[in-house]
Amino acid sequence: MKAASFAYERPHSVSAALDLLANANGGARIMAGGQSLGPMLNLRLVQPQLIIDIAGLAELRTVDRDGADLVIGACLTHADIEDGRIPDVTNGVMRRISAGIAYRAVRNRGTIGGSLSHADPAADWVTTLTALGAGVRLTSAAGRRDLAVAEFIQGALQTALRPGELVTAIRLPALPPTARFGYAKACRKPGEFAHAMAAVLIEPDKSRSRIVIGAIDRTPIVVDDSSLFGGTLTNLKQQFDRDLADRLLMRAGVTDTADRHIHVTVLARAIAEAAA
Amino acid sequence: MTTIQLSVNGTATETTVEPRTHLADLLRDQLDLTGTHLGCEHGVCGACTLLLDGAPARSCITLAVACDGATITTIEGLDEDEIAAELRAAFAREHALQCGYCTPGMIMSARDLVLRLDSADEQAIRVGLSGNLCRCTGYVGIVRAVRAVIEARRQRGIAAAIGAGRTSLGPVGSQPAAIATTTSSAPRAMREMEADRNVAVRTLDIPEAVPAKSFDASFIVNAAPAQVFALFGNVRTLAACFPGATITDIPAPDRIEGEIRVALGPLAAAFRGAARIDRDETNLSGRLVGMGHDQRSRTSTSGQISWRMVPIDEGRATRVELAIGYSLSGPLAQIARDGFVRDLAARITTVFAQNCDKHLNGATTQAASEQPQRLNALALLLDVARTRLTVLARRLRRQ
């Protein structure tokens, strides 16, 4: 299938891209690697008047340290992270997750900022970055603001991006060496969009945990306390409260029993990994 | 159209493409490199995989304009490539070629795995090839071929390279060095596109097309056939009777340019277009052929309405028999299902019939019926739903 006609611009800087965006009166779409937008254009689900291609912007291919955090440009690709071309402050979590996104040919062009902006509930970064407590930097002609990924994702394909705003960077907080991470997803075949996914972060030093259940038709379910483990972080596997997880899914609108079973099973796998 | 420079299989190439053209179409249609195959065209099947700046990428979901300045290697460019030669031999030996359609993409992905995988682990190879579909399901031979090449190379002491040796950051094919080659400002580019679109509407020849959908409708007007036929000949009056229609120009007696507005909840479509009217005085029949485009929803429609005046009640009244055919394309077409459009058209026809009747019988003031009316499709649909529910309820009660 072929895309409908559009005008195309490749600005030479972020500010030029923002100018184009501001002048387009909502008729423009930003494109980075185009691995989500490309299919939607070909299927004509999206028919913008103008595409602003930011993939080549050097400003968005940067890597900076900010204290213990790592701030990476929105146009870094999944393959950049998978191959370790940027430092990893997450004890290998970022590398591992990126290696499981779609296929290598897609990872060579697909970007982390693009994936977040697209906000597909089944996207690995939405769930993972929420669990990691990552932040996202939004830039517009008026200035810039930082949001937690959990605030940024507002629903299926819905983000907090305002008109004229662009995702320019992702802030990755450093994980302490003692932190434990578990991740699981259910796909019919490797690389396919997941029907269920879960990320589990346990920080024993701070007696803190964060559980994220993704790939549901809305924002991921985030459990920031240890209620899923009966209030303690000892014996995670044995303490895992499947009924509570099931009720949370029910409350989030997952009404199908089989779907909930898959979600709970995937969560149990992620917990088992974090507990191992 | 945008002019871009590419290095394709080692040859510098300058070519002009539409922004919407993806890389695979450019290679196949303009550069005659048909070794790159197209399957799904949404990045799933992997048939179009090629090397962009040396790394595998999907050419069906990568815009050609986005690759200005990039180095492209298609299957035709791998004739002299050492790994590709080993893979070709192994594919032939292991019966991994089958129908051959997926083969170019398979070779591209396999070559990348040969470069990157440490060992010939079958699971890793299968996962690595999961983005390439083979409709012959000849995966066993393909996996065996890739394993054999990896094993042989590792035995020869050739080590795997993380990321196949890539060092630069960012999407492959998008060259930081190549930016700022496009000079047109967006507002201008967009204005040009708008202009193109307007010109397209202005100068369009109304084509004779076979409509995708068709149905019949009829209504009765309390006036003689000749009177109704005359009304149908008066374009301005006719449009005034038609809900949501506005005429912008009548460049020729048989030609109308104008707009029809339809609102459906948050969706509001204004189809601008042109129509041609043919009339047959002797048979009291006629036909309107038109096409229109809604700028906002990017939906196009074309269609025709044929009418025939049939005298009833000894010629005191007329049954207007309509044959309606239409085609819709664009996003709204995906929402507007067949039955939906039919119901909508039935409602429009009813309102139109009432207006025609009022006009001919002077039941209302001229001003009311001459005003273009905005049709609220949602209200109409709710009306349709209510009617259906009522019918259903009646049926249930009868049982």
Side-chain angles (χ1 to χ4, degrees), chain B residues 206-213 271 274 288-293 299-304 325-329:
Chain B
I206 300 158
E208 292 286 333
V210 180
K213 308 280 179 193
F271 291 99
L288 178 148
V289 185
M291 60 188 294
H293 181 76
T299 300
S300 294
T301 182
S302 65
Q304 55 180 37
Y326 70 95
S327 301
L328 269 179
S329 63

mmCIF file of all heavy atoms in Angstrom, chain B residues 206-213 271 274 288-293 299-304 325-329:
data_model
loop_
_atom_site.group_PDB
_atom_site.id
_atom_site.type_symbol
_atom_site.label_atom_id
_atom_site.label_comp_id
_atom_site.label_asym_id
_atom_site.label_seq_id
_atom_site.Cartn_x
_atom_site.Cartn_y
_atom_site.Cartn_z
ATOM 1 N N ILE B 206 -14.608 15.160 -15.158
ATOM 2 C CA ILE B 206 -15.381 14.242 -14.334
ATOM 3 C C ILE B 206 -15.386 12.890 -15.028
ATOM 4 O O ILE B 206 -15.917 12.747 -16.129
ATOM 5 C CB ILE B 206 -16.790 14.788 -14.114
ATOM 6 C CG1 ILE B 206 -16.660 16.141 -13.401
ATOM 7 C CG2 ILE B 206 -17.621 13.834 -13.294
ATOM 8 C CD1 ILE B 206 -17.845 17.025 -13.582
ATOM 9 N N PRO B 207 -14.723 11.921 -14.450
ATOM 10 C CA PRO B 207 -14.556 10.663 -15.168
ATOM 11 C C PRO B 207 -15.790 9.772 -15.056
ATOM 12 O O PRO B 207 -16.553 9.869 -14.118
ATOM 13 C CB PRO B 207 -13.370 10.020 -14.448
ATOM 14 C CG PRO B 207 -13.441 10.560 -13.062
ATOM 15 C CD PRO B 207 -14.150 11.881 -13.108
ATOM 16 N N GLU B 208 -15.929 8.937 -16.043
ATOM 17 C CA GLU B 208 -16.967 7.912 -16.004
ATOM 18 C C GLU B 208 -16.366 6.739 -15.257
ATOM 19 O O GLU B 208 -15.481 6.063 -15.765
ATOM 20 C CB GLU B 208 -17.334 7.468 -17.426
ATOM 21 C CG GLU B 208 -18.038 8.520 -18.248
ATOM 22 C CD GLU B 208 -19.494 8.723 -17.823
ATOM 23 O OE1 GLU B 208 -20.102 7.777 -17.286
ATOM 24 O OE2 GLU B 208 -20.009 9.833 -18.018
ATOM 25 N N ALA B 209 -16.779 6.531 -14.016
ATOM 26 C CA ALA B 209 -16.199 5.426 -13.271
ATOM 27 C C ALA B 209 -17.312 4.481 -12.850
ATOM 28 O O ALA B 209 -18.457 4.893 -12.693
ATOM 29 C CB ALA B 209 -15.479 5.949 -12.040
ATOM 30 N N VAL B 210 -16.957 3.221 -12.717
ATOM 31 C CA VAL B 210 -17.938 2.258 -12.223
ATOM 32 C C VAL B 210 -17.949 2.378 -10.702
ATOM 33 O O VAL B 210 -16.939 2.165 -10.059
ATOM 34 C CB VAL B 210 -17.560 0.816 -12.637
ATOM 35 C CG1 VAL B 210 -18.591 -0.163 -12.117
ATOM 36 C CG2 VAL B 210 -17.442 0.729 -14.152
ATOM 37 N N PRO B 211 -19.078 2.794 -10.114
ATOM 38 C CA PRO B 211 -19.081 2.997 -8.663
ATOM 39 C C PRO B 211 -18.908 1.683 -7.915
ATOM 40 O O PRO B 211 -19.364 0.633 -8.379
ATOM 41 C CB PRO B 211 -20.475 3.587 -8.394
ATOM 42 C CG PRO B 211 -21.114 3.819 -9.709
ATOM 43 C CD PRO B 211 -20.381 3.019 -10.720
ATOM 44 N N ALA B 212 -18.249 1.771 -6.771
ATOM 45 C CA ALA B 212 -18.002 0.581 -5.966
ATOM 46 C C ALA B 212 -19.288 0.067 -5.327
ATOM 47 O O ALA B 212 -19.460 -1.127 -5.143
ATOM 48 C CB ALA B 212 -16.967 0.892 -4.889
ATOM 49 N N LYS B 213 -20.179 0.996 -4.989
ATOM 50 C CA LYS B 213 -21.420 0.610 -4.313
ATOM 51 C C LYS B 213 -22.592 1.220 -5.073
ATOM 52 O O LYS B 213 -22.475 2.325 -5.606
ATOM 53 C CB LYS B 213 -21.452 1.151 -2.882
ATOM 54 C CG LYS B 213 -20.235 0.810 -2.051
ATOM 55 C CD LYS B 213 -20.323 -0.590 -1.525
ATOM 56 C CE LYS B 213 -19.086 -0.916 -0.705
ATOM 57 N NZ LYS B 213 -18.983 -2.339 -0.441
ATOM 58 N N PHE B 271 -17.273 18.025 1.266
ATOM 59 C CA PHE B 271 -16.793 17.546 -0.027
ATOM 60 C C PHE B 271 -16.923 18.658 -1.059
ATOM 61 O O PHE B 271 -18.029 19.060 -1.410
ATOM 62 C CB PHE B 271 -17.595 16.317 -0.471
ATOM 63 C CG PHE B 271 -17.326 15.104 0.359
ATOM 64 C CD1 PHE B 271 -18.188 14.738 1.381
ATOM 65 C CD2 PHE B 271 -16.203 14.335 0.130
ATOM 66 C CE1 PHE B 271 -17.929 13.624 2.157
ATOM 67 C CE2 PHE B 271 -15.935 13.218 0.898
ATOM 68 C CZ PHE B 271 -16.798 12.859 1.921
ATOM 69 N N ALA B 274 -17.067 18.905 -8.258
ATOM 70 C CA ALA B 274 -17.791 19.343 -9.434
ATOM 71 C C ALA B 274 -18.681 18.220 -9.927
ATOM 72 O O ALA B 274 -18.417 17.048 -9.662
ATOM 73 C CB ALA B 274 -16.807 19.740 -10.530
ATOM 74 N N LEU B 288 -26.636 12.687 -12.900
ATOM 75 C CA LEU B 288 -25.621 13.605 -12.373
ATOM 76 C C LEU B 288 -24.381 12.769 -12.048
ATOM 77 O O LEU B 288 -24.487 11.746 -11.368
ATOM 78 C CB LEU B 288 -26.153 14.295 -11.120
ATOM 79 C CG LEU B 288 -25.233 15.259 -10.370
ATOM 80 C CD1 LEU B 288 -26.074 16.372 -9.744
ATOM 81 C CD2 LEU B 288 -24.442 14.559 -9.270
ATOM 82 N N VAL B 289 -23.261 13.187 -12.619
ATOM 83 C CA VAL B 289 -22.008 12.485 -12.339
ATOM 84 C C VAL B 289 -21.075 13.480 -11.656
ATOM 85 O O VAL B 289 -20.877 14.583 -12.169
ATOM 86 C CB VAL B 289 -21.327 11.971 -13.629
ATOM 87 C CG1 VAL B 289 -20.084 11.150 -13.291
ATOM 88 C CG2 VAL B 289 -22.300 11.168 -14.455
ATOM 89 N N GLY B 290 -20.559 13.121 -10.505
ATOM 90 C CA GLY B 290 -19.723 14.100 -9.810
ATOM 91 C C GLY B 290 -18.623 13.469 -8.996
ATOM 92 O O GLY B 290 -18.582 12.254 -8.798
ATOM 93 N N MET B 291 -17.735 14.332 -8.578
ATOM 94 C CA MET B 291 -16.713 13.860 -7.657
ATOM 95 C C MET B 291 -16.325 14.993 -6.727
ATOM 96 O O MET B 291 -16.430 16.165 -7.063
ATOM 97 C CB MET B 291 -15.494 13.325 -8.395
ATOM 98 C CG MET B 291 -14.792 14.320 -9.297
ATOM 99 S SD MET B 291 -13.528 13.482 -10.250
ATOM 100 C CE MET B 291 -12.415 13.006 -8.949
ATOM 101 N N GLY B 292 -15.909 14.611 -5.540
ATOM 102 C CA GLY B 292 -15.549 15.632 -4.562
ATOM 103 C C GLY B 292 -14.466 15.142 -3.636
ATOM 104 O O GLY B 292 -14.170 13.938 -3.562
ATOM 105 N N HIS B 293 -13.873 16.083 -2.935
ATOM 106 C CA HIS B 293 -12.775 15.735 -2.026
ATOM 107 C C HIS B 293 -12.935 16.538 -0.741
ATOM 108 O O HIS B 293 -13.219 17.733 -0.795
ATOM 109 C CB HIS B 293 -11.443 16.058 -2.696
ATOM 110 C CG HIS B 293 -10.257 15.723 -1.844
ATOM 111 N ND1 HIS B 293 -9.831 14.423 -1.673
ATOM 112 C CD2 HIS B 293 -9.450 16.499 -1.096
ATOM 113 C CE1 HIS B 293 -8.781 14.425 -0.851
ATOM 114 N NE2 HIS B 293 -8.536 15.670 -0.484
ATOM 115 N N THR B 299 -10.641 12.521 2.294
ATOM 116 C CA THR B 299 -11.499 11.490 1.735
ATOM 117 C C THR B 299 -12.046 11.986 0.403
ATOM 118 O O THR B 299 -12.443 13.138 0.281
ATOM 119 C CB THR B 299 -12.657 11.186 2.703
ATOM 120 O OG1 THR B 299 -12.093 10.741 3.936
ATOM 121 C CG2 THR B 299 -13.570 10.098 2.170
ATOM 122 N N SER B 300 -12.019 11.115 -0.575
ATOM 123 C CA SER B 300 -12.546 11.468 -1.880
ATOM 124 C C SER B 300 -13.773 10.629 -2.174
ATOM 125 O O SER B 300 -13.870 9.487 -1.726
ATOM 126 C CB SER B 300 -11.513 11.224 -2.972
ATOM 127 O OG SER B 300 -10.436 12.108 -2.795
ATOM 128 N N THR B 301 -14.665 11.211 -2.929
ATOM 129 C CA THR B 301 -15.842 10.454 -3.323
ATOM 130 C C THR B 301 -16.145 10.738 -4.789
ATOM 131 O O THR B 301 -15.841 11.808 -5.306
ATOM 132 C CB THR B 301 -17.052 10.809 -2.435
ATOM 133 O OG1 THR B 301 -18.153 9.998 -2.837
ATOM 134 C CG2 THR B 301 -17.449 12.272 -2.538
ATOM 135 N N SER B 302 -16.676 9.761 -5.435
ATOM 136 C CA SER B 302 -17.179 9.991 -6.786
ATOM 137 C C SER B 302 -18.463 9.202 -6.891
ATOM 138 O O SER B 302 -18.659 8.228 -6.163
ATOM 139 C CB SER B 302 -16.166 9.525 -7.829
ATOM 140 O OG SER B 302 -16.003 8.135 -7.736
ATOM 141 N N GLY B 303 -19.337 9.643 -7.737
ATOM 142 C CA GLY B 303 -20.579 8.906 -7.818
ATOM 143 C C GLY B 303 -21.492 9.427 -8.878
ATOM 144 O O GLY B 303 -21.189 10.404 -9.577
ATOM 145 N N GLN B 304 -22.602 8.764 -9.022
ATOM 146 C CA GLN B 304 -23.601 9.230 -9.967
ATOM 147 C C GLN B 304 -24.993 8.937 -9.443
ATOM 148 O O GLN B 304 -25.210 7.974 -8.724
ATOM 149 C CB GLN B 304 -23.386 8.609 -11.337
ATOM 150 C CG GLN B 304 -23.342 7.103 -11.336
ATOM 151 C CD GLN B 304 -23.116 6.586 -12.740
ATOM 152 O OE1 GLN B 304 -22.383 7.174 -13.520
ATOM 153 N NE2 GLN B 304 -23.758 5.495 -13.058
ATOM 154 N N GLY B 325 -25.040 5.477 -7.189
ATOM 155 C CA GLY B 325 -23.788 4.707 -7.118
ATOM 156 C C GLY B 325 -22.685 5.597 -6.604
ATOM 157 O O GLY B 325 -22.657 6.788 -6.897
ATOM 158 N N TYR B 326 -21.808 5.050 -5.769
ATOM 159 C CA TYR B 326 -20.743 5.901 -5.242
ATOM 160 C C TYR B 326 -19.499 5.079 -4.927
ATOM 161 O O TYR B 326 -19.552 3.858 -4.738
ATOM 162 C CB TYR B 326 -21.202 6.633 -3.967
ATOM 163 C CG TYR B 326 -21.369 5.710 -2.783
ATOM 164 C CD1 TYR B 326 -20.324 5.550 -1.866
ATOM 165 C CD2 TYR B 326 -22.535 4.975 -2.606
ATOM 166 C CE1 TYR B 326 -20.461 4.685 -0.799
ATOM 167 C CE2 TYR B 326 -22.673 4.112 -1.544
ATOM 168 C CZ TYR B 326 -21.635 3.967 -0.632
ATOM 169 O OH TYR B 326 -21.755 3.103 0.413
ATOM 170 N N SER B 327 -18.383 5.769 -4.863
ATOM 171 C CA SER B 327 -17.136 5.179 -4.368
ATOM 172 C C SER B 327 -16.555 6.162 -3.374
ATOM 173 O O SER B 327 -16.612 7.366 -3.589
ATOM 174 C CB SER B 327 -16.130 4.981 -5.499
ATOM 175 O OG SER B 327 -16.666 4.142 -6.478
ATOM 176 N N LEU B 328 -16.030 5.655 -2.302
ATOM 177 C CA LEU B 328 -15.360 6.498 -1.305
ATOM 178 C C LEU B 328 -13.941 5.993 -1.166
ATOM 179 O O LEU B 328 -13.710 4.793 -1.178
ATOM 180 C CB LEU B 328 -16.035 6.350 0.061
ATOM 181 C CG LEU B 328 -17.174 7.260 0.500
ATOM 182 C CD1 LEU B 328 -17.641 6.845 1.871
ATOM 183 C CD2 LEU B 328 -16.776 8.722 0.490
ATOM 184 N N SER B 329 -12.990 6.908 -1.028
ATOM 185 C CA SER B 329 -11.641 6.444 -0.703
ATOM 186 C C SER B 329 -11.025 7.397 0.297
ATOM 187 O O SER B 329 -11.297 8.601 0.269
ATOM 188 C CB SER B 329 -10.781 6.362 -1.961
ATOM 189 O OG SER B 329 -10.634 7.638 -2.521
#
